[in-house]
Amino acid sequence: MRTRRIAVAGLADDASQAFRSMLKILDGRGGLSWSLVAPEDAEVLIAGTHGDELVARRWAKTDKPLVAVYEGAAARPMTPYTLHHPFRVMQLLGVLDDIDQALGGTAQDTARGRSAAGTLWTFAESLRLLARSSAGGNLHVAGEGAQRVFVRDDLSVYHAGADTVRRLVGHSLELPALRLASEGPPADFVCRPVFELAWFTAWHASDALAPWVDANALYRLRRWPDFGLLRGTREQLALAALLTHASHSRAQLIQSSRQPAANVDRFLNACALAGVLASAGEAAPAAEPAGTFIAASAARLGGLIRGLRSRLGLTS
Amino acid sequence: MVEGEFKIVFTGPMGAGKTTAIAAISDEPPVSTDVVNNDRVAFDKELTTAGLDYGHIALADGAAVRLYGTPGQLRFRFMWDILGNNAAGIILLLDASQADALVQLDAFVDAFGAGKRSPIVVGVGRAAAAGALPLDAFAQRLESRGLTLPVFGVDVRRRDDVLLLVDTLLCLLELGDRRTA
């Protein structure tokens, strides 16, 4: 049986107790055992926004996979591995399985990431790293002068000049990595949701898959991107609809959507960095089955749908 | 769904913008059954829809898309079932500045089959208002129930925002159509 090592690095008492109890339940299941160790010796960390800040801050910049636990109506941390407290044992199992798979491909992924790190994905990688950190109320900044982008470390908002926001939405900004800011944003900078920054950063970065998106994994949407904010295109709506109905690999998504591979790759990249993409291994978070409707009586609506789109000016 | 009938239902609590949304895309101003609002504590507006709103969009081939708006108050719950019957899709409008918006989300999503009978698209207005719930809270609420419904921040006074909701509904319908054809 394989063993992996996990540590609690800042977690509220009730969440910590639940986690420890669940680890005992999971022990030995699926040929993998998780042992609780000190953070220094761990391969994986688990932390929460209401945990021990002193402990969490020490590990904020770790490269180790981090499971972020959040509560109530708090914004979901933009990190690949999250749990909403109170969580269930099957949800924990799903996340740990995902991490185990990711760690299994560490060498390959690291090589891919390193080759991209100095070019297209530098800023995005630093945003991902920030997402793994515990929020300390700090601002991080990338860029120089009027082109700077400030990001709050709780990943709620970013600050940028209006022109920078326009360029972000329209095309790639090619920013350097985020670093801790020594001063706040200028007064004339606008404040926007980080979700927007993450989405457009990944969308424009490359028409190939990001280093952290596995081409062979099955993906589904954890939640829909806010296309009210992003002004989603028909192609993006269609891809989101597909990933709502069922899990798809990249190849399946290309085939089902009949869209170019570049479109699909950009979409997966953007969803992943914005934190709305889940791998199929992650357990469904609630008792009700995931998915939406089965349109048993909706067959042969094609003509009506085309007619309505045409009538409303909804061209693709 | 009845052959030849294509019905989109706009639902949500009082004051969420259902009548406004229908007016944004209907060929003619919606027929509304407004009455004097006698629940000014819950929502401070003069008139509210007691029965239904009705609008329509004529298509080139002579077919028509019917747009229905439900009354928002819980005491007219029976109308939701009547109007929701055979609907192609549901557009649920919510007001993030209303204190019980998440309770309303649950109530309306459940009343219309949680997206299992027909697709539901959720439009959340006034998310930028002081004290309003963040959009993320609505998405989180659905996610915690295992529901992956589209949730968008919208202003239904903007026609483009209403069109986004309709287009999303059509994308979900199209997918179901392709799978069952």
Side-chain angles (χ1 to χ4, degrees):
Chain A
M1 180 180 296
R2 291 180 301 116
T3 300
R4 289 219 180 269
R5 303 180 304 279
I6 190 166
V8 175
L11 204 57
D13 285 348
D14 52 346
S16 178
Q17 284 173 9
F19 167 69
R20 289 166 197 268
S21 300
M22 289 178 189
L23 266 195
K24 289 176 185 168
I25 295 170
L26 293 177
D27 191 27
R29 294 201 176 196
L32 177 62
S33 174
W34 287 89
S35 63
L36 204 54
V37 298
E40 294 84 353
D41 303 322
E43 298 164 278
V44 180
L45 302 177
I46 182 166
T49 51
H50 301 293
D52 185 335
E53 278 302 310
L54 286 176
V55 177
R57 199 171 299 156
R58 183 177 170 202
W59 293 100
K61 298 299 177 191
T62 180
D63 284 333
K64 296 175 181 180
L66 186 143
V67 182
V69 179
Y70 64 115
E71 299 183 28
R76 196 181 75 79
M78 291 206 306
T79 177
Y81 310 111
T82 61
L83 286 169
H84 184 257
H85 180 67
F87 50 87
R88 300 175 184 187
V89 67
M90 291 308 292
Q91 291 173 266
L92 176 64
L93 179 63
V95 170
L96 294 180
D97 279 351
D98 277 358
I99 292 176
D100 179 50
Q101 286 176 13
L103 288 173
T106 294
Q108 184 188 352
D109 291 346
T110 303
R112 290 172 65 194
R114 191 178 297 125
S115 67
T119 54
L120 298 169
W121 298 105
T122 302
F123 176 72
E125 288 283 7
S126 69
L127 198 56
R128 290 182 74 230
L129 188 61
L130 193 63
R132 293 179 178 188
S133 310
S134 288
N138 298 314
L139 277 170
H140 293 250
V141 64
E144 301 294 335
Q147 317 299 321
R148 283 175 298 172
V149 171
F150 290 83
V151 179
R152 192 161 290 285
D153 66 1
D154 62 3
L155 294 180
S156 56
V157 295
Y158 76 100
H159 302 261
D163 185 55
T164 303
V165 173
R166 271 193 296 276
R167 287 192 298 116
L168 167 74
V169 172
H171 50 82
S172 178
L173 282 180
E174 295 181 17
L175 288 164
L178 286 160
R179 62 184 192 283
L180 194 61
S182 57
E183 58 182 359
D188 61 340
F189 273 30
V190 293
C191 180
R192 308 277 302 176
V194 163
F195 184 90
E196 175 185 73
L197 176 67
W199 177 272
F200 285 114
T201 294
W203 178 265
H204 292 304
S206 170
D207 57 8
L209 277 184
W212 59 83
V213 180
D214 183 349
N216 300 312
L218 290 172
Y219 291 107
R220 62 178 172 80
L221 278 189
R222 184 193 303 277
R223 59 177 67 172
W224 277 62
D226 176 12
F227 287 127
L229 172 72
L230 304 169
R231 311 315 303 178
T233 63
R234 166 77 48 67
E235 289 76 16
Q236 292 169 347
L237 294 176
L239 289 169
L242 277 167
L243 288 178
T244 301
H245 271 271
S247 297
H248 288 74
S249 68
R250 171 182 178 271
Q252 290 168 338
L253 208 49
I254 292 168
Q255 186 178 24
S256 298
S257 68
R258 300 164 196 158
Q259 291 188 29
N263 263 17
V264 172
D265 288 350
R266 285 182 188 279
F267 184 80
L268 289 173
N269 292 344
C271 286
L273 192 60
V276 298
L277 197 66
S279 65
E282 246 176 295
E288 291 186 48
T292 53
F293 83 118
I294 302 299
S297 58
R300 294 174 295 283
L301 283 176
L304 275 167
I305 290 172
R306 278 192 299 277
L308 181 56
R309 281 205 174 112
S310 169
R311 185 69 181 71
L312 293 175
L314 290 168
T315 52
S316 57
Chain B
M1 190 179 313
V2 176
E3 188 70 27
E5 184 182 33
F6 193 87
K7 179 166 75 174
I8 297 175
V9 172
F10 290 74
T11 193
M14 185 162 51
K18 301 180 290 295
T19 308
T20 305
I22 292 173
I25 56 172
S26 176
D27 286 351
E28 295 168 8
V31 177
S32 297
T33 52
D34 284 352
V35 295
V36 173
N37 173 24
N38 59 9
D39 191 5
R40 299 292 281 260
V41 175
F43 203 82
D44 187 20
K45 68 174 186 175
E46 197 165 327
L47 297 174
T48 190
T49 303
L52 57 87
D53 290 319
Y54 174 74
H56 78 280
I57 302 168
L59 304 184
D61 61 0
V65 175
R66 303 177 196 284
L67 311 169
Y68 290 94
T70 70
Q73 294 154 295
L74 193 58
R75 59 198 169 106
F76 295 118
R77 167 77 167 74
F78 67 95
M79 287 293 294
W80 304 355
D81 297 334
I82 295 169
L83 295 174
N85 189 33
N86 292 325
I90 310 294
I91 292 177
L92 167 57
L93 299 175
L94 296 167
D95 179 348
S97 68
Q98 292 186 10
D100 60 348
L102 292 179
V103 176
Q104 291 168 350
L105 171 70
D106 286 341
F108 281 96
V109 163
D110 289 340
F112 287 93
K116 306 288 193 296
R117 292 201 299 264
S118 51
I120 298 176
V121 178
V122 184
V124 179
R126 301 189 183 98
L133 286 164
L135 191 73
D136 200 59
F138 296 86
Q140 171 56 47
R141 183 73 154 227
L142 293 173
E143 186 181 336
S144 69
R145 296 184 51 187
L147 297 173
T148 314
L149 307 181
V151 181
F152 304 151
V154 294
D155 179 346
V156 292
R157 293 169 299 180
R158 292 196 300 240
R159 187 170 186 267
D160 280 353
D161 283 16
V162 180
L163 292 179
L164 171 68
L165 297 171
V166 173
D167 207 9
T168 304
L169 201 61
L170 296 181
C171 282
L172 288 165
L173 274 171
E174 206 164 38
L175 192 60
D177 192 41
R178 201 192 304 168
R179 283 168 181 242
T180 54

